[in-house]
Amino acid sequence: MVYLTRRERFCAAHKLWIEDWTEEKNLEIFGKCANPNWHGHNYELFVTVKGEVNTETGFVIDLRNLRDLIREKVIKKLDHKNVNLDTDFMQRKMSTTENIAIGIWEQLGDEIKILGAELHCVKVQETENNSAAYYGK
Amino acid sequence: MVYLTRRERFCAAHKLWIEDWTEEKNLEIFGKCANPNWHGHNYELFVTVKGEVNTETGFVIDLRNLRDLIREKVIKKLDHKNVNLDTDFMQRKMSTTENIAIGIWEQLGDEIKILGAELHCVKVQETENNSAAYYGK
Amino acid sequence: MVYLTRRERFCAAHKLWIEDWTEEKNLEIFGKCANPNWHGHNYELFVTVKGEVNTETGFVIDLRNLRDLIREKVIKKLDHKNVNLDTDFMQRKMSTTENIAIGIWEQLGDEIKILGAELHCVKVQETENNSAAYYGK
Amino acid sequence: MVYLTRRERFCAAHKLWIEDWTEEKNLEIFGKCANPNWHGHNYELFVTVKGEVNTETGFVIDLRNLRDLIREKVIKKLDHKNVNLDTDFMQRKMSTTENIAIGIWEQLGDEIKILGAELHCVKVQETENNSAAYYGK
Amino acid sequence: MVYLTRRERFCAAHKLWIEDWTEEKNLEIFGKCANPNWHGHNYELFVTVKGEVNTETGFVIDLRNLRDLIREKVIKKLDHKNVNLDTDFMQRKMSTTENIAIGIWEQLGDEIKILGAELHCVKVQETENNSAAYYGK
Amino acid sequence: MVYLTRRERFCAAHKLWIEDWTEEKNLEIFGKCANPNWHGHNYELFVTVKGEVNTETGFVIDLRNLRDLIREKVIKKLDHKNVNLDTDFMQRKMSTTENIAIGIWEQLGDEIKILGAELHCVKVQETENNSAAYYGK
């Protein structure tokens, strides 16, 4: 069993904001992350899959297929987008790093099985100081 | 003469958009940077000042003063903000990396003279692949 | 269950030195790390906590609370300090990266429970080539 | 139990190529990685060992011994070499990142036991976007 | 006048080798860089151009055009190639970092004028420790 | 004319402290950098030299010679040392990043001429946020 990690990046706007709350309460709880006019990040995404090494090719999975899958199912929906407004799989969810990681897992889990490997971890790095990792249920 | 560089960071939303143009033309010219609902970046800012070394302290400038100045005049106005909507010194300008660098220079140039040094360069890193540097007129 | 990681940094002096040994033996066993007049590092600290995501806020834990806790209990005692002489929780211990990681774990473990999450890992990066990680007993 | 990680680097040429296949098939399956005249990488190697902390020295293992072992058994055979042609432990194997990680594990596993610790993980970073990790059978 | 820098990357094989010299002399002068079976690097390329900012678009140059130009004229000829054998503009030259930087300058200088800016610097980073920069004659 | 940059690293202890001042005044002016028991950093040193490219070897200078020179004249005196107490060329000077850059320049300038190139810049990176560069008088 070998673990392969692919990094991709996306630049997106978002805010932490609960519609049922007042602006005051949003700012109190979420601080500067609740700026009404949005802010944004250069997110780094690390997708780790695991599987047996194919004895002929030496591959767990063709990394070009993994890259194309991540770009099609995830990056296209997040890069140069507004996570809250534009990303279908983040609707009706807080756009925290935690939830983005879970959302990306749900986009990729079944598809990676089709490629012959198993999704192990989705890690989202929001800034150089903060990241969230999800290993499935 | 020694050159000191201080790095600061800010996370901001923006878009490249000319109001007089149609959405089609904006998307044609600015591509995904014209996403109507914004996108964002973890910007890195490198401010370089130059001056003589004080023979007693060994300082060109007290870096804590430089840090506080950059935070007060620049970071407070950009971090967790929308560059187009929230930042006073970027109003009525395209929020390109080039213009952000020039805008920051104008915020800092005179103030750094008061601290006893001279502003040499403002460099703004938008992504790991793209940056703009301004050395004044 | 989601894993959140917060990075903090501290700049500290230390040496590897056993008082009961001669200088010769210290230098033989610990090499240049036993320099009598100390040396130092820009340490990077990665604190990983785990927990369930709050369905309302989308948070495992408020990262500002985690940051403040790490700064109060750990960084204040290590940053711009001498690990051997100044840091209360490192007294009577060798200041190896291994022991610093364990010491930080002991400062944070119970406090993070109060914040509603569980400490998962403390990783201390001493140089770009060397690091130690501790996951508790 | 503490986990120590040592990073080393090697610059090597390689290609993905199956001798029994035509050039066309190699290029179809392995893409630009099958360039007949080779290509190369600055590989980063992360070796993680685990063990108990020695109560006198504060060490799991002397990192200088770990470094010397990695350099002797691995780096000397890979750095400024052609992985396919020059590296003894990679003969008759595809030089994928997956197989390089497994090959390095086999070079180091038993030797690290002699140093008093246990090999936990070999991670090979081929580019800033791709890496493979192996934790043993 | 603003300076824009675009980073691109290429993974290539090469060796330092003078055909008129014996293998012994090549190994003596160029050390491990003369490994007969090649070695390789993840090169990073930083192309800096300078120009006036367009008052309507806020651009010195459209970075997508600069990116496409670099990829067409440079990266396509170097990425996953052997610099000595495969790259047309490096034939009959030693493949040192110095010469690669000069060679890339000659590919790009005139083309960047057509885009409306001026080439300022070509910097090639061979490893995290070594780089060469060329500013033209 | 091509510019070559070599990076080296050193881990050192230091403090900012003027003997003629009281501890109170030192702490007021130098803040936490005046911690009486020292602190330390992983310094990064970037030495840039310039020269013509040798038409036979393609070298401005043999980087192995530059590396050996920097290690002999600079790193050996700073790495795992106390800058204030152990480094001969920093005696009777404040150990600011500015002064360390100037001190290193004075160690290397004449020696690099002997190697057939000219010293262009010494840059010392103290933390990921602060650096000083010196280009000579």
Side-chain angles (χ1 to χ4, degrees):
Chain A
M1 190 76 91
V2 172
Y3 294 72
L4 276 184
T5 299
R6 172 76 193 173
R7 184 190 75 135
E8 291 287 336
R9 297 174 291 132
F10 57 94
C11 302
H14 85 131
K15 67 177 166 187
L16 299 184
W17 189 271
I18 291 180
E19 287 298 335
D20 293 347
W21 291 359
T22 61
E23 181 166 338
E24 287 66 31
K25 184 159 184 201
N26 273 298
L27 288 168
E28 181 199 330
I29 301 299
F30 297 120
K32 57 187 183 177
C33 297
N35 181 52
N37 287 327
W38 318 95
H39 67 285
H41 299 291
N42 299 339
Y43 290 91
E44 287 190 282
L45 166 62
F46 298 86
V47 175
T48 302
V49 304
K50 60 184 173 185
E52 299 293 333
V53 177
N54 179 299
T55 50
E56 187 174 34
T57 62
F59 280 168
V60 165
I61 196 177
D62 186 331
L63 273 169
R64 292 176 300 170
N65 294 342
L66 181 58
R67 178 199 63 196
D68 292 347
L69 176 67
I70 300 171
R71 291 187 180 171
E72 179 63 27
K73 295 289 177 187
V74 176
I75 301 302
K76 222 169 67 177
K77 295 173 172 182
L78 285 165
D79 187 38
H80 284 73
K81 301 290 184 193
N82 184 308
V83 182
N84 301 43
L85 301 180
D86 296 330
T87 307
D88 58 7
F89 64 82
M90 291 302 296
Q91 297 308 299
R92 288 171 303 285
K93 293 179 202 164
M94 292 294 289
S95 62
T96 58
T97 317
E98 292 92 320
N99 277 342
I100 296 174
I102 295 172
I104 292 172
W105 177 284
E106 289 166 355
Q107 294 298 299
L108 294 176
D110 292 342
E111 304 279 345
I112 283 167
K113 277 204 193 97
I114 297 170
L115 292 180
E118 193 181 338
L119 182 54
H120 173 67
C121 179
V122 169
K123 181 176 148 191
V124 176
Q125 184 95 26
E126 192 190 60
T127 69
E128 66 187 36
N129 291 334
N130 298 336
S131 67
Y134 183 60
Y135 295 82
K137 284 181 191 170
Chain B
M1 190 75 92
V2 171
Y3 294 73
L4 275 185
T5 299
R6 172 75 193 173
R7 184 189 76 134
E8 291 288 336
R9 297 174 293 130
F10 57 94
C11 302
H14 85 132
K15 67 177 166 185
L16 300 184
W17 190 271
I18 291 180
E19 287 298 336
D20 293 347
W21 292 0
T22 60
E23 180 166 339
E24 288 65 30
K25 184 159 184 201
N26 272 299
L27 287 168
E28 181 199 331
I29 301 299
F30 296 121
K32 57 187 183 177
C33 298
N35 182 52
N37 285 328
W38 318 96
H39 67 285
H41 298 290
N42 298 338
Y43 290 92
E44 286 189 284
L45 167 62
F46 297 85
V47 175
T48 302
V49 304
K50 60 183 172 185
E52 300 293 334
V53 177
N54 179 300
T55 50
E56 187 174 34
T57 61
F59 280 169
V60 164
I61 197 177
D62 186 331
L63 274 168
R64 291 176 300 170
N65 293 342
L66 180 59
R67 178 199 63 196
D68 292 347
L69 176 67
I70 300 171
R71 291 187 180 172
E72 178 64 27
K73 296 289 177 185
V74 176
I75 301 302
K76 222 168 69 176
K77 296 172 172 182
L78 285 164
D79 187 37
H80 284 72
K81 301 291 184 192
N82 184 307
V83 182
N84 301 43
L85 300 180
D86 296 329
T87 308
D88 58 6
F89 64 83
M90 292 303 296
Q91 296 309 298
R92 288 170 303 286
K93 293 179 201 164
M94 293 294 289
S95 62
T96 58
T97 317
E98 292 92 320
N99 276 341
I100 296 174
I102 295 172
I104 292 172
W105 177 284
E106 289 166 355
Q107 294 298 299
L108 293 175
D110 292 343
E111 304 279 344
I112 283 167
K113 277 204 193 97
I114 297 170
L115 292 180
E118 193 181 339
L119 181 54
H120 173 67
C121 179
V122 169
K123 182 175 148 192
V124 176
Q125 185 94 25
E126 192 189 60
T127 68
E128 67 187 35
N129 291 333
N130 298 335
S131 67
Y134 183 60
Y135 296 82
K137 284 181 191 170
Chain C
M1 189 77 90
V2 172
Y3 295 71
L4 275 185
T5 299
R6 172 75 193 173
R7 184 189 76 135
E8 291 289 335
R9 297 174 292 130
F10 57 94
C11 302
H14 85 132
K15 68 177 165 185
L16 299 184
W17 189 271
I18 291 180
E19 286 298 336
D20 292 347
W21 292 359
T22 61
E23 179 165 341
E24 287 66 31
K25 185 160 183 199
N26 273 297
L27 288 168
E28 182 200 329
I29 301 299
F30 296 121
K32 57 186 184 177
C33 297
N35 182 52
N37 286 328
W38 318 95
H39 66 286
H41 299 291
N42 298 338
Y43 291 91
E44 287 190 282
L45 167 62
F46 298 85
V47 175
T48 302
V49 304
K50 60 184 173 186
E52 300 293 333
V53 177
N54 178 300
T55 49
E56 186 173 35
T57 62
F59 280 169
V60 165
I61 196 176
D62 186 332
L63 273 168
R64 293 176 300 171
N65 293 342
L66 180 59
R67 178 199 64 196
D68 292 346
L69 176 68
I70 300 171
R71 291 187 179 171
E72 178 64 26
K73 296 290 178 185
V74 176
I75 300 302
K76 221 168 70 176
K77 295 173 171 181
L78 285 165
D79 186 37
H80 285 72
K81 301 291 184 193
N82 184 308
V83 182
N84 301 42
L85 301 179
D86 296 329
T87 308
D88 57 7
F89 64 80
M90 293 302 296
Q91 297 308 298
R92 287 170 304 285
K93 293 179 201 163
M94 293 294 289
S95 62
T96 58
T97 316
E98 291 92 320
N99 277 341
I100 296 174
I102 295 172
I104 291 171
W105 177 284
E106 289 166 356
Q107 294 298 300
L108 293 176
D110 293 342
E111 304 279 345
I112 284 167
K113 277 205 193 96
I114 297 170
L115 292 180
E118 193 182 338
L119 182 54
H120 173 68
C121 179
V122 169
K123 182 175 148 193
V124 176
Q125 184 94 25
E126 191 190 60
T127 69
E128 66 187 36
N129 292 332
N130 298 335
S131 67
Y134 183 60
Y135 295 82
K137 283 181 193 172
Chain D
M1 190 76 91
V2 172
Y3 294 72
L4 275 184
T5 298
R6 173 75 193 174
R7 184 189 76 134
E8 291 287 336
R9 296 173 293 130
F10 57 94
C11 302
H14 85 131
K15 68 177 167 188
L16 299 185
W17 190 269
I18 291 180
E19 287 299 335
D20 293 347
W21 291 0
T22 60
E23 180 166 339
E24 286 67 30
K25 183 158 183 201
N26 273 297
L27 289 168
E28 181 199 330
I29 302 298
F30 297 120
K32 57 187 185 177
C33 297
N35 183 51
N37 286 327
W38 318 95
H39 67 284
H41 298 291
N42 298 338
Y43 291 91
E44 286 189 282
L45 166 61
F46 298 85
V47 175
T48 303
V49 304
K50 60 183 172 186
E52 299 293 333
V53 177
N54 179 299
T55 50
E56 187 174 34
T57 62
F59 280 169
V60 164
I61 197 177
D62 186 332
L63 273 169
R64 291 175 302 170
N65 294 341
L66 180 59
R67 177 199 65 196
D68 292 347
L69 176 67
I70 300 172
R71 290 187 181 172
E72 179 63 27
K73 296 290 176 185
V74 175
I75 301 302
K76 222 169 70 177
K77 296 173 171 182
L78 285 165
D79 187 36
H80 285 73
K81 301 291 184 193
N82 184 307
V83 182
N84 301 43
L85 300 179
D86 296 329
T87 307
D88 58 7
F89 65 81
M90 292 302 296
Q91 297 308 297
R92 287 170 304 285
K93 294 179 202 163
M94 294 294 289
S95 62
T96 57
T97 317
E98 291 93 319
N99 277 340
I100 296 174
I102 295 172
I104 292 171
W105 177 284
E106 289 166 356
Q107 294 298 299
L108 293 176
D110 292 342
E111 303 280 345
I112 283 166
K113 276 202 194 101
I114 297 171
L115 291 181
E118 193 182 338
L119 182 54
H120 172 68
C121 179
V122 169
K123 181 174 149 192
V124 176
Q125 184 96 24
E126 193 189 60
T127 68
E128 65 187 38
N129 291 333
N130 298 335
S131 67
Y134 184 59
Y135 296 82
K137 283 181 193 170
Chain E
M1 190 76 91
V2 171
Y3 295 73
L4 275 184
T5 298
R6 173 76 192 172
R7 184 189 75 134
E8 291 287 336
R9 296 173 293 129
F10 56 96
C11 302
H14 85 130
K15 69 177 165 185
L16 299 184
W17 190 270
I18 291 179
E19 287 298 336
D20 293 347
W21 290 359
T22 60
E23 180 166 338
E24 287 67 30
K25 185 161 182 198
N26 273 299
L27 287 169
E28 181 199 331
I29 302 299
F30 296 120
K32 58 187 184 176
C33 297
N35 182 52
N37 285 329
W38 319 95
H39 67 285
H41 298 291
N42 298 338
Y43 291 91
E44 286 189 282
L45 166 62
F46 298 85
V47 175
T48 303
V49 305
K50 60 183 173 186
E52 300 292 336
V53 177
N54 179 298
T55 49
E56 187 173 33
T57 62
F59 279 169
V60 164
I61 198 176
D62 186 331
L63 273 169
R64 292 176 300 170
N65 294 341
L66 180 58
R67 177 199 64 195
D68 292 347
L69 176 68
I70 300 171
R71 290 187 179 172
E72 179 64 26
K73 296 289 177 186
V74 176
I75 300 302
K76 221 168 71 176
K77 296 173 171 181
L78 284 165
D79 186 38
H80 284 73
K81 301 291 184 192
N82 183 308
V83 182
N84 300 43
L85 301 178
D86 296 330
T87 308
D88 56 8
F89 64 81
M90 292 303 296
Q91 296 308 297
R92 287 171 304 285
K93 292 179 202 164
M94 293 294 289
S95 61
T96 57
T97 317
E98 291 93 319
N99 277 340
I100 296 174
I102 295 173
I104 292 171
W105 177 284
E106 289 166 355
Q107 294 298 299
L108 293 177
D110 292 343
E111 303 280 345
I112 283 168
K113 277 205 193 95
I114 297 170
L115 292 181
E118 193 182 337
L119 182 54
H120 173 67
C121 179
V122 169
K123 182 174 148 192
V124 176
Q125 185 96 24
E126 193 189 61
T127 68
E128 66 187 36
N129 292 333
N130 297 336
S131 67
Y134 184 60
Y135 296 82
K137 283 182 190 168
Chain F
M1 190 75 90
V2 172
Y3 293 73
L4 276 184
T5 299
R6 172 77 193 171
R7 183 190 75 134
E8 292 287 337
R9 296 174 292 130
F10 57 93
C11 303
H14 85 130
K15 68 177 165 186
L16 300 185
W17 190 270
I18 291 180
E19 287 298 336
D20 294 347
W21 291 0
T22 60
E23 181 166 338
E24 286 67 31
K25 184 160 183 199
N26 273 297
L27 288 168
E28 181 200 329
I29 302 298
F30 296 120
K32 57 188 185 178
C33 297
N35 182 51
N37 286 328
W38 319 96
H39 66 285
H41 299 291
N42 297 339
Y43 291 90
E44 286 190 283
L45 167 62
F46 298 86
V47 175
T48 302
V49 304
K50 60 183 173 184
E52 299 293 334
V53 177
N54 179 299
T55 50
E56 187 174 35
T57 61
F59 280 168
V60 164
I61 197 177
D62 186 332
L63 273 169
R64 293 176 300 171
N65 294 342
L66 180 59
R67 178 200 62 195
D68 292 346
L69 176 67
I70 300 171
R71 291 188 180 172
E72 179 63 27
K73 296 289 178 187
V74 176
I75 300 302
K76 222 169 68 178
K77 296 173 172 181
L78 285 165
D79 187 36
H80 285 72
K81 301 291 184 192
N82 184 308
V83 182
N84 300 43
L85 300 179
D86 295 330
T87 307
D88 58 6
F89 64 81
M90 291 303 296
Q91 298 308 299
R92 288 170 303 286
K93 293 178 203 164
M94 293 294 289
S95 62
T96 58
T97 317
E98 292 92 318
N99 277 341
I100 295 174
I102 295 172
I104 291 172
W105 177 283
E106 289 166 356
Q107 294 298 300
L108 292 176
D110 292 343
E111 304 279 345
I112 283 167
K113 276 203 193 99
I114 297 170
L115 291 181
E118 192 181 338
L119 182 54
H120 172 68
C121 179
V122 169
K123 182 174 148 191
V124 176
Q125 184 95 24
E126 193 190 60
T127 68
E128 65 187 37
N129 292 333
N130 298 335
S131 69
Y134 184 60
Y135 295 83
K137 284 182 191 171

